[in-house]
Amino acid sequence: MSEIPKELPSMEGCFTFEILNSSTHQYEFAKTAAGDLYNTCRLTEGTYLDLLANELMNGSKRQWAIGPFNSATTYRHKNSNSPDRYLEWLDKQAPHSVVYISFGTSGC
């Protein structure tokens, strides 16, 4: 069983009042949920899914890792902010000239 590392920094000050307030209101509804869907796969984030199951849900709810979904391939509307526009730009760049940095996952 995985354990939460002791050296993790505090989350104090990480969330605005509005986010904390919204989370508080959603807490009652979350108690009735059968489980949670995650935009990930067990192969890459199984350790963290296990932590969530053991530490946050006490093993009482199910988890479904159904991703990862890539919004660049699932979103096909043609507009100025379309992921296709960014992919077209990337295709025009010289090899090894672009650095990709991920700041986490996002919903579709």
Side-chain angles (χ1 to χ4, degrees):
M1 175 170 69
S2 300
E3 293 183 22
I4 297 176
K6 291 176 178 40
E7 61 273 358
L8 286 178
S10 168
M11 291 179 53
E12 184 176 342
C14 291
F15 302 102
T16 65
F17 169 78
E18 292 81 7
I19 295 294
L20 291 173
N21 193 35
S22 176
S23 297
T24 301
H25 289 301
Q26 294 299 316
Y27 181 75
E28 289 300 315
F29 296 107
K31 288 192 234 179
T32 62
D36 292 308
L37 294 175
Y38 294 99
N39 179 17
T40 188
C41 68
R42 185 160 287 284
L43 180 65
T44 57
E45 295 186 297
T47 299
Y48 305 103
L49 290 168
D50 291 343
L51 275 171
L52 285 170
N54 294 326
E55 298 295 327
L56 299 178
M57 296 182 214
N58 298 320
S60 63
K61 295 192 178 184
R62 298 197 57 194
Q63 294 179 322
W64 295 275
I66 59 169
F69 288 113
N70 182 345
S71 61
T73 59
T74 59
Y75 180 78
R76 293 289 179 211
H77 289 89
K78 299 290 183 187
N79 64 40
S80 62
N81 293 321
S82 169
D84 293 324
R85 180 174 163 237
Y86 303 118
L87 293 175
E88 289 169 10
W89 179 86
L90 281 170
D91 288 342
K92 294 176 185 175
Q93 304 312 303
H96 309 290
S97 66
V98 176
V99 176
Y100 174 76
I101 300 173
S102 174
F103 294 102
T105 59
S106 63
C108 291

